[in-house]
mmCIF file of all heavy atoms in Angstrom:
data_model
loop_
_atom_site.group_PDB
_atom_site.id
_atom_site.type_symbol
_atom_site.label_atom_id
_atom_site.label_comp_id
_atom_site.label_asym_id
_atom_site.label_seq_id
_atom_site.Cartn_x
_atom_site.Cartn_y
_atom_site.Cartn_z
ATOM 1 N N PRO S 20 -10.857 -33.293 -50.675
ATOM 2 C CA PRO S 20 -10.859 -34.702 -51.061
ATOM 3 C C PRO S 20 -10.788 -34.864 -52.574
ATOM 4 O O PRO S 20 -11.344 -34.060 -53.328
ATOM 5 C CB PRO S 20 -12.194 -35.205 -50.511
ATOM 6 C CG PRO S 20 -13.079 -34.001 -50.526
ATOM 7 C CD PRO S 20 -12.181 -32.831 -50.225
ATOM 8 N N GLY S 21 -10.113 -35.931 -52.993
ATOM 9 C CA GLY S 21 -9.961 -36.196 -54.419
ATOM 10 C C GLY S 21 -10.388 -37.595 -54.800
ATOM 11 O O GLY S 21 -11.382 -38.114 -54.301
ATOM 12 N N ALA S 22 -9.604 -38.211 -55.676
ATOM 13 C CA ALA S 22 -9.984 -39.476 -56.292
ATOM 14 C C ALA S 22 -10.055 -40.613 -55.278
ATOM 15 O O ALA S 22 -9.173 -40.758 -54.433
ATOM 16 C CB ALA S 22 -8.999 -39.832 -57.402
ATOM 17 N N ALA S 23 -11.101 -41.426 -55.409
ATOM 18 C CA ALA S 23 -11.284 -42.591 -54.550
ATOM 19 C C ALA S 23 -10.848 -43.879 -55.227
ATOM 20 O O ALA S 23 -10.832 -44.943 -54.589
ATOM 21 C CB ALA S 23 -12.749 -42.703 -54.125
ATOM 22 N N GLU S 24 -10.482 -43.813 -56.507
ATOM 23 C CA GLU S 24 -10.041 -44.986 -57.261
ATOM 24 C C GLU S 24 -9.183 -44.526 -58.426
ATOM 25 O O GLU S 24 -9.219 -43.340 -58.798
ATOM 26 C CB GLU S 24 -11.248 -45.785 -57.761
ATOM 27 C CG GLU S 24 -12.165 -44.995 -58.661
ATOM 28 C CD GLU S 24 -13.420 -45.777 -59.024
ATOM 29 O OE1 GLU S 24 -13.648 -46.838 -58.433
ATOM 30 O OE2 GLU S 24 -14.156 -45.302 -59.902
ATOM 31 N N PRO S 25 -8.398 -45.429 -59.015
ATOM 32 C CA PRO S 25 -7.533 -45.020 -60.119
ATOM 33 C C PRO S 25 -8.329 -44.684 -61.379
ATOM 34 O O PRO S 25 -9.514 -45.027 -61.501
ATOM 35 C CB PRO S 25 -6.641 -46.243 -60.346
ATOM 36 C CG PRO S 25 -7.415 -47.390 -59.795
ATOM 37 C CD PRO S 25 -8.217 -46.846 -58.653
ATOM 38 N N LEU S 26 -7.668 -44.023 -62.317
ATOM 39 C CA LEU S 26 -8.276 -43.785 -63.613
ATOM 40 C C LEU S 26 -8.528 -45.113 -64.317
ATOM 41 O O LEU S 26 -7.773 -46.076 -64.131
ATOM 42 C CB LEU S 26 -7.351 -42.936 -64.489
ATOM 43 C CG LEU S 26 -6.970 -41.550 -63.967
ATOM 44 C CD1 LEU S 26 -6.078 -40.848 -64.985
ATOM 45 C CD2 LEU S 26 -8.195 -40.719 -63.645
ATOM 46 N N PRO S 27 -9.568 -45.207 -65.146
ATOM 47 C CA PRO S 27 -9.750 -46.421 -65.952
ATOM 48 C C PRO S 27 -8.553 -46.625 -66.865
ATOM 49 O O PRO S 27 -7.906 -45.652 -67.289
ATOM 50 C CB PRO S 27 -11.022 -46.133 -66.741
ATOM 51 C CG PRO S 27 -11.150 -44.653 -66.752
ATOM 52 C CD PRO S 27 -10.557 -44.173 -65.459
ATOM 53 N N ALA S 28 -8.238 -47.872 -67.148
ATOM 54 C CA ALA S 28 -7.053 -48.169 -67.956
ATOM 55 C C ALA S 28 -7.149 -47.582 -69.357
ATOM 56 O O ALA S 28 -6.137 -47.262 -69.980
ATOM 57 C CB ALA S 28 -6.838 -49.675 -68.036
ATOM 58 N N ASP S 29 -8.358 -47.437 -69.885
ATOM 59 C CA ASP S 29 -8.562 -46.786 -71.180
ATOM 60 C C ASP S 29 -9.952 -46.165 -71.189
ATOM 61 O O ASP S 29 -10.712 -46.303 -70.243
ATOM 62 C CB ASP S 29 -8.382 -47.774 -72.338
ATOM 63 C CG ASP S 29 -9.190 -49.048 -72.150
ATOM 64 O OD1 ASP S 29 -10.334 -48.977 -71.633
ATOM 65 O OD2 ASP S 29 -8.697 -50.129 -72.517
ATOM 66 N N GLY S 30 -10.256 -45.460 -72.264
ATOM 67 C CA GLY S 30 -11.562 -44.833 -72.371
ATOM 68 C C GLY S 30 -11.611 -43.465 -71.724
ATOM 69 O O GLY S 30 -10.588 -42.885 -71.329
ATOM 70 N N ALA S 31 -12.822 -42.940 -71.594
ATOM 71 C CA ALA S 31 -13.026 -41.582 -71.080
ATOM 72 C C ALA S 31 -12.584 -41.466 -69.633
ATOM 73 O O ALA S 31 -12.712 -42.411 -68.843
ATOM 74 C CB ALA S 31 -14.500 -41.203 -71.217
ATOM 75 N N LEU S 32 -12.101 -40.285 -69.282
ATOM 76 C CA LEU S 32 -11.683 -40.010 -67.914
ATOM 77 C C LEU S 32 -12.829 -39.385 -67.130
ATOM 78 O O LEU S 32 -13.683 -38.691 -67.691
ATOM 79 C CB LEU S 32 -10.483 -39.074 -67.899
ATOM 80 C CG LEU S 32 -9.200 -39.610 -68.532
ATOM 81 C CD1 LEU S 32 -8.092 -38.584 -68.391
ATOM 82 C CD2 LEU S 32 -8.786 -40.921 -67.902
ATOM 83 N N PRO S 33 -12.857 -39.604 -65.827
ATOM 84 C CA PRO S 33 -13.900 -38.972 -65.010
ATOM 85 C C PRO S 33 -13.725 -37.460 -64.953
ATOM 86 O O PRO S 33 -12.679 -36.919 -65.327
ATOM 87 C CB PRO S 33 -13.697 -39.608 -63.628
ATOM 88 C CG PRO S 33 -12.305 -40.120 -63.626
ATOM 89 C CD PRO S 33 -11.976 -40.470 -65.042
ATOM 90 N N VAL S 34 -14.772 -36.791 -64.478
ATOM 91 C CA VAL S 34 -14.707 -35.330 -64.338
ATOM 92 C C VAL S 34 -13.704 -34.968 -63.246
ATOM 93 O O VAL S 34 -13.336 -35.807 -62.409
ATOM 94 C CB VAL S 34 -16.100 -34.751 -63.991
ATOM 95 C CG1 VAL S 34 -17.082 -35.050 -65.104
ATOM 96 C CG2 VAL S 34 -16.599 -35.301 -62.662
ATOM 97 N N ALA S 35 -13.287 -33.716 -63.273
ATOM 98 C CA ALA S 35 -12.382 -33.230 -62.229
ATOM 99 C C ALA S 35 -13.092 -33.251 -60.882
ATOM 100 O O ALA S 35 -14.306 -33.066 -60.796
ATOM 101 C CB ALA S 35 -11.908 -31.830 -62.560
ATOM 102 N N ASN S 36 -12.323 -33.494 -59.827
ATOM 103 C CA ASN S 36 -12.890 -33.566 -58.476
ATOM 104 C C ASN S 36 -12.508 -32.322 -57.666
ATOM 105 O O ASN S 36 -11.851 -31.403 -58.163
ATOM 106 C CB ASN S 36 -12.433 -34.856 -57.784
ATOM 107 C CG ASN S 36 -10.925 -34.986 -57.752
ATOM 108 O OD1 ASN S 36 -10.215 -34.044 -57.414
ATOM 109 N ND2 ASN S 36 -10.410 -36.166 -58.120
ATOM 110 N N GLU S 37 -12.922 -32.316 -56.397
ATOM 111 C CA GLU S 37 -12.673 -31.147 -55.546
ATOM 112 C C GLU S 37 -11.184 -30.881 -55.356
ATOM 113 O O GLU S 37 -10.746 -29.723 -55.322
ATOM 114 C CB GLU S 37 -13.363 -31.361 -54.198
ATOM 115 C CG GLU S 37 -13.347 -30.160 -53.286
ATOM 116 C CD GLU S 37 -14.115 -30.394 -51.998
ATOM 117 O OE1 GLU S 37 -15.056 -31.205 -51.988
ATOM 118 O OE2 GLU S 37 -13.762 -29.745 -50.996
ATOM 119 N N ALA S 38 -10.394 -31.951 -55.227
ATOM 120 C CA ALA S 38 -8.954 -31.780 -55.066
ATOM 121 C C ALA S 38 -8.341 -31.112 -56.288
ATOM 122 O O ALA S 38 -7.505 -30.194 -56.169
ATOM 123 C CB ALA S 38 -8.290 -33.136 -54.812
ATOM 124 N N VAL S 39 -8.723 -31.550 -57.473
ATOM 125 C CA VAL S 39 -8.203 -30.962 -58.704
ATOM 126 C C VAL S 39 -8.573 -29.482 -58.785
ATOM 127 O O VAL S 39 -7.734 -28.634 -59.113
ATOM 128 C CB VAL S 39 -8.731 -31.731 -59.930
ATOM 129 C CG1 VAL S 39 -8.337 -31.026 -61.220
ATOM 130 C CG2 VAL S 39 -8.207 -33.165 -59.922
ATOM 131 N N GLU S 40 -9.812 -29.155 -58.470
ATOM 132 C CA GLU S 40 -10.235 -27.758 -58.536
ATOM 133 C C GLU S 40 -9.523 -26.902 -57.485
ATOM 134 O O GLU S 40 -9.259 -25.713 -57.706
ATOM 135 C CB GLU S 40 -11.751 -27.663 -58.391
ATOM 136 C CG GLU S 40 -12.520 -28.349 -59.518
ATOM 137 C CD GLU S 40 -12.118 -27.878 -60.914
ATOM 138 O OE1 GLU S 40 -11.675 -26.716 -61.060
ATOM 139 O OE2 GLU S 40 -12.235 -28.678 -61.866
ATOM 140 N N GLN S 41 -9.191 -27.497 -56.345
ATOM 141 C CA GLN S 41 -8.406 -26.765 -55.343
ATOM 142 C C GLN S 41 -7.003 -26.477 -55.869
ATOM 143 O O GLN S 41 -6.468 -25.371 -55.683
ATOM 144 C CB GLN S 41 -8.324 -27.563 -54.044
ATOM 145 C CG GLN S 41 -7.513 -26.900 -52.941
ATOM 146 C CD GLN S 41 -8.128 -25.586 -52.497
ATOM 147 O OE1 GLN S 41 -9.212 -25.557 -51.935
ATOM 148 N NE2 GLN S 41 -7.443 -24.482 -52.775
ATOM 149 N N MET S 42 -6.383 -27.448 -56.526
ATOM 150 C CA MET S 42 -5.081 -27.211 -57.142
ATOM 151 C C MET S 42 -5.156 -26.070 -58.140
ATOM 152 O O MET S 42 -4.292 -25.176 -58.173
ATOM 153 C CB MET S 42 -4.587 -28.478 -57.846
ATOM 154 C CG MET S 42 -4.204 -29.626 -56.944
ATOM 155 S SD MET S 42 -3.597 -31.005 -57.958
ATOM 156 C CE MET S 42 -3.595 -32.325 -56.750
ATOM 157 N N VAL S 43 -6.192 -26.071 -58.979
ATOM 158 C CA VAL S 43 -6.348 -25.032 -59.993
ATOM 159 C C VAL S 43 -6.497 -23.665 -59.324
ATOM 160 O O VAL S 43 -5.895 -22.677 -59.759
ATOM 161 C CB VAL S 43 -7.551 -25.342 -60.902
ATOM 162 C CG1 VAL S 43 -7.854 -24.163 -61.826
ATOM 163 C CG2 VAL S 43 -7.285 -26.603 -61.723
ATOM 164 N N ALA S 44 -7.288 -23.592 -58.268
ATOM 165 C CA ALA S 44 -7.485 -22.322 -57.575
ATOM 166 C C ALA S 44 -6.173 -21.775 -57.030
ATOM 167 O O ALA S 44 -5.890 -20.568 -57.131
ATOM 168 C CB ALA S 44 -8.499 -22.502 -56.441
ATOM 169 N N VAL S 45 -5.345 -22.646 -56.458
ATOM 170 C CA VAL S 45 -4.042 -22.202 -55.946
ATOM 171 C C VAL S 45 -3.152 -21.741 -57.089
ATOM 172 O O VAL S 45 -2.516 -20.675 -57.027
ATOM 173 C CB VAL S 45 -3.364 -23.339 -55.150
ATOM 174 C CG1 VAL S 45 -1.921 -22.963 -54.807
ATOM 175 C CG2 VAL S 45 -4.145 -23.663 -53.888
ATOM 176 N N LEU S 46 -3.101 -22.521 -58.167
ATOM 177 C CA LEU S 46 -2.217 -22.205 -59.281
ATOM 178 C C LEU S 46 -2.636 -20.932 -60.014
ATOM 179 O O LEU S 46 -1.792 -20.246 -60.602
ATOM 180 C CB LEU S 46 -2.160 -23.389 -60.248
ATOM 181 C CG LEU S 46 -1.442 -24.627 -59.695
ATOM 182 C CD1 LEU S 46 -1.734 -25.840 -60.561
ATOM 183 C CD2 LEU S 46 0.068 -24.389 -59.609
ATOM 184 N N ARG S 47 -3.902 -20.609 -59.993
ATOM 185 C CA ARG S 47 -4.328 -19.346 -60.596
ATOM 186 C C ARG S 47 -3.824 -18.144 -59.801
ATOM 187 O O ARG S 47 -3.607 -17.068 -60.363
ATOM 188 C CB ARG S 47 -5.854 -19.314 -60.707
ATOM 189 C CG ARG S 47 -6.377 -20.154 -61.865
ATOM 190 C CD ARG S 47 -7.881 -20.128 -61.962
ATOM 191 N NE ARG S 47 -8.324 -20.890 -63.128
ATOM 192 C CZ ARG S 47 -9.490 -21.525 -63.214
ATOM 193 N NH1 ARG S 47 -10.340 -21.489 -62.185
ATOM 194 N NH2 ARG S 47 -9.807 -22.187 -64.310
ATOM 195 N N ARG S 48 -3.615 -18.321 -58.495
ATOM 196 C CA ARG S 48 -3.094 -17.255 -57.650
ATOM 197 C C ARG S 48 -1.595 -17.096 -57.799
ATOM 198 O O ARG S 48 -1.066 -15.988 -57.759
ATOM 199 C CB ARG S 48 -3.408 -17.513 -56.166
ATOM 200 C CG ARG S 48 -4.857 -17.494 -55.791
ATOM 201 C CD ARG S 48 -5.001 -17.372 -54.272
ATOM 202 N NE ARG S 48 -4.281 -18.392 -53.537
ATOM 203 C CZ ARG S 48 -4.823 -19.527 -53.105
ATOM 204 N NH1 ARG S 48 -6.093 -19.797 -53.367
ATOM 205 N NH2 ARG S 48 -4.096 -20.391 -52.414
ATOM 206 N N GLN S 49 -0.895 -18.224 -57.916
ATOM 207 C CA GLN S 49 0.567 -18.185 -57.922
ATOM 208 C C GLN S 49 1.132 -19.475 -58.474
ATOM 209 O O GLN S 49 0.496 -20.529 -58.428
ATOM 210 C CB GLN S 49 1.085 -17.972 -56.500
ATOM 211 C CG GLN S 49 0.806 -19.129 -55.568
ATOM 212 C CD GLN S 49 1.264 -18.856 -54.159
ATOM 213 O OE1 GLN S 49 0.463 -18.675 -53.278
ATOM 214 N NE2 GLN S 49 2.579 -18.812 -53.955
ATOM 215 N N SER S 50 2.341 -19.388 -58.977
ATOM 216 C CA SER S 50 3.054 -20.591 -59.379
ATOM 217 C C SER S 50 3.417 -21.391 -58.134
ATOM 218 O O SER S 50 3.629 -20.823 -57.057
ATOM 219 C CB SER S 50 4.315 -20.228 -60.163
ATOM 220 O OG SER S 50 3.972 -19.566 -61.360
#
């Protein structure tokens, strides 16, 4: 699961979520 709402229009971004970390894990294994 990932983001439940869009990024704020400006200002700080939220922390990475489970979906983002799953993408990173896959990309570390292979392109």
Side-chain angles (χ1 to χ4, degrees):
E24 60 186 10
L26 300 181
D29 50 37
L32 296 182
V34 298
N36 56 47
E37 188 177 332
V39 173
E40 297 306 332
Q41 179 63 66
M42 291 182 193
V43 171
V45 171
L46 291 166
R47 283 179 177 151
R48 295 196 305 265
Q49 66 183 109
S50 297

